[in-house]
Amino acid sequence: MLENRVVSSNAIKCRYLGEDDNSKTLKELIKYHNENMSVVLKEGTMKNYYTTEKYLHRFLAKKRKINDVRLKQLNYAFVTDFEHFLRNYRDSKKRLLLGNNGVMKHLERFKKMLNLAVKLEWMEKNPFNQFQLKYNKYDRQFLDEEELEQLESTEMGNERLERIRDCFVFSCYTGLSYVDVKELNGDNIVKGIDGNLWISTKREKTDKPVKVPLLPKAREILEKYMQCPEMENKESLLPISSNQKTNAYLKEIADSCDIDKNLTFHVARHTFATTVMLSNGVPLETVSKLLGHSKLSTTQIYARVVESKISEDIGNLLIRFKDKASKKNAVT
């Protein structure tokens, strides 16, 4: 009656036996979420949800010694116990598998699933309401101007590494992610309003349209592989390997170029935002559009103004102060 539901002998029986909607279990929620969200969320995102699901199943089996749990039994203690389980989870070699941010990502996905349960009226409130997700902030790695030049000019002496290097450099001058570079085809190269060539595509991750001017360095790389016989019968424009192989090759490339940084393909995106764009005076709002971000705050995580740019801007400010002082003295 408190829930404004029809009171009947069958409803009372179902509630008593735990068979009504108010007695849904965690596994039922996960199944409902995954079935419904698989058509909405990207494959990579769903893969992460499946991993979170595996950790929840292991937690129930190893720590709670149960196969499933009713949603109305979930509370703040369940959340904190699951957090503790994730932080201390070790592989077969007794190595910790998750850092703080990895733990927070799993908890964030779990929280979203419970939010769905609240919306479906399977739960009265989310136990995460009293729990705060705390991420550690890290400096995102990027190549500075000198390192980028070093990368571009170093002779690879190996066709396999040269191709991956070229794809990485292409991303440094376009800001495209690995999957967007991989999916790039001739239809994505269009003439812009300025009469120059632009890349017009949709971000695989967010499905958000992105338009990026084709800078000279990026255009050179495209033209190089347009003339490559191996690429003639392929839809894609660049010869990129799988993500795993690409990142493995980038480690070799970093060694060859004497770059002491953990080079992954995503570093190229940070390099585009910071070294190629912001450091050359391109406003943050423009960089945000070029990266295909829906919020400016997301761009602020990627893109930092390097010290040389700050120094240059302060130098310009001092020149303006000096000019103003000179004009004032001339008048007096």
Side-chain angles (χ1 to χ4, degrees):
M1 289 174 68
L2 286 170
E3 294 166 10
N4 295 316
R5 296 192 176 214
V6 176
V7 178
S8 68
S9 58
N10 191 53
I12 294 169
K13 179 185 174 185
C14 287
R15 175 62 59 90
Y16 179 76
L17 296 174
E19 293 173 350
D20 65 349
D21 283 349
N22 256 37
S23 299
K24 293 286 187 181
T25 68
L26 179 57
K27 284 190 175 179
E28 285 177 313
L29 170 64
I30 293 170
K31 183 182 177 184
Y32 180 91
H33 174 275
N34 291 348
E35 285 177 354
N36 286 272
M37 291 298 153
S38 60
V39 295
V40 178
L41 301 175
K42 296 293 180 182
E43 186 181 337
T45 304
M46 285 308 303
K47 187 179 177 182
N48 292 331
Y49 271 102
Y50 296 142
T51 306
T52 301
E53 178 186 356
K54 287 177 184 174
Y55 278 117
L56 281 166
H57 288 170
R58 289 168 187 165
F59 170 68
L60 290 175
K62 292 184 178 181
K63 292 297 177 182
R64 292 298 178 101
K65 310 296 182 186
I66 53 176
N67 184 50
D68 202 356
V69 61
R70 299 206 179 278
L71 292 175
K72 60 185 178 183
Q73 292 178 282
L74 300 185
N75 53 23
Y76 181 82
F78 186 94
V79 172
T80 53
D81 286 350
F82 182 49
E83 178 198 8
H84 184 74
F85 172 78
L86 291 172
R87 288 192 185 281
N88 292 281
Y89 191 85
R90 296 175 184 270
D91 61 12
S92 57
K93 295 181 180 178
K94 305 297 181 185
R95 294 174 300 189
L96 285 172
L97 282 185
L98 297 168
N100 177 75
N101 288 2
V103 171
M104 290 300 116
K105 276 294 180 184
H106 285 299
L107 292 175
E108 185 181 334
R109 286 189 281 270
F110 184 30
K111 179 182 178 179
K112 286 179 179 178
M113 286 191 276
L114 295 184
N115 277 338
L116 176 62
V118 173
K119 288 176 183 177
L120 291 167
E121 297 183 359
W122 291 357
M123 296 178 74
E124 286 186 22
K125 62 179 182 178
N126 193 330
F128 273 95
N129 290 346
Q130 306 301 319
F131 187 91
Q132 189 174 3
L133 298 169
K134 294 180 181 178
Y135 287 94
N136 292 336
K137 291 184 179 179
Y138 296 105
D139 279 343
R140 305 292 180 104
Q141 284 205 326
F142 66 96
L143 299 184
D144 59 32
E145 195 172 339
E146 188 179 322
E147 289 168 330
L148 183 54
E149 286 176 5
Q150 177 75 3
L151 182 72
E152 292 174 38
S153 60
T154 301
E155 287 291 332
M156 290 293 108
N158 181 313
E159 189 179 1
R160 165 178 57 90
L161 296 182
E162 184 180 339
R163 290 184 172 190
I164 298 303
R165 187 271 308 274
D166 289 343
C167 291
F168 181 87
V169 171
F170 179 83
S171 180
C172 288
Y173 286 98
T174 60
L176 296 183
S177 65
Y178 166 82
V179 68
D180 294 327
V181 170
K182 188 178 181 182
E183 298 294 325
L184 194 69
N185 59 60
D187 294 336
N188 300 132
I189 309 301
V190 299
K191 188 167 281 191
I193 55 172
D194 55 1
N196 295 318
L197 292 179
W198 285 58
I199 295 171
S200 178
T201 184
K202 276 190 177 183
R203 283 206 69 202
E204 176 68 23
K205 183 178 180 181
T206 60
D207 214 31
K208 188 177 175 66
V210 176
K211 287 190 176 179
V212 185
L214 197 59
L215 297 177
K217 291 280 178 73
R219 186 170 181 170
E220 283 175 23
I221 292 169
L222 279 187
E223 288 172 352
K224 174 180 176 179
Y225 289 100
M226 280 178 185
Q227 298 165 8
C228 181
E230 286 181 36
M231 301 301 293
E232 279 184 12
N233 299 320
K234 292 185 179 180
E235 286 188 17
S236 55
L237 296 177
L238 293 168
I240 196 163
S241 304
S242 69
N243 198 7
Q244 190 175 5
K245 282 185 179 179
T246 296
N247 286 329
Y249 296 158
L250 284 171
K251 303 290 184 290
E252 293 183 52
I253 291 167
D255 290 339
S256 301
C257 300
D258 293 323
I259 295 173
D260 189 23
K261 285 181 179 175
N262 181 27
L263 219 56
T264 65
F265 204 86
H266 213 60
V267 171
R269 196 162 157 83
H270 301 312
T271 302
F272 171 78
T274 309
T275 304
V276 176
M277 292 286 140
L278 281 179
S279 295
N280 288 301
V282 178
L284 190 67
E285 294 81 0
T286 303
V287 177
S288 186
K289 283 282 185 185
L290 294 172
L291 289 171
H293 290 160
S294 52
K295 293 186 292 184
L296 198 61
S297 57
T298 308
T299 314
Q300 288 167 334
I301 295 170
Y302 274 72
R304 298 161 299 167
V305 182
V306 291
E307 287 180 14
S308 58
K309 178 67 176 123
I310 296 172
S311 177
E312 182 186 326
D313 290 343
I314 297 300
N316 291 334
L317 180 64
L318 293 174
I319 291 170
R320 289 194 193 102
F321 285 159
K322 202 171 182 180
D323 288 345
K324 283 182 181 178
S326 298
K327 287 177 183 177
K328 193 174 181 181
N329 290 334
V331 171
T332 55

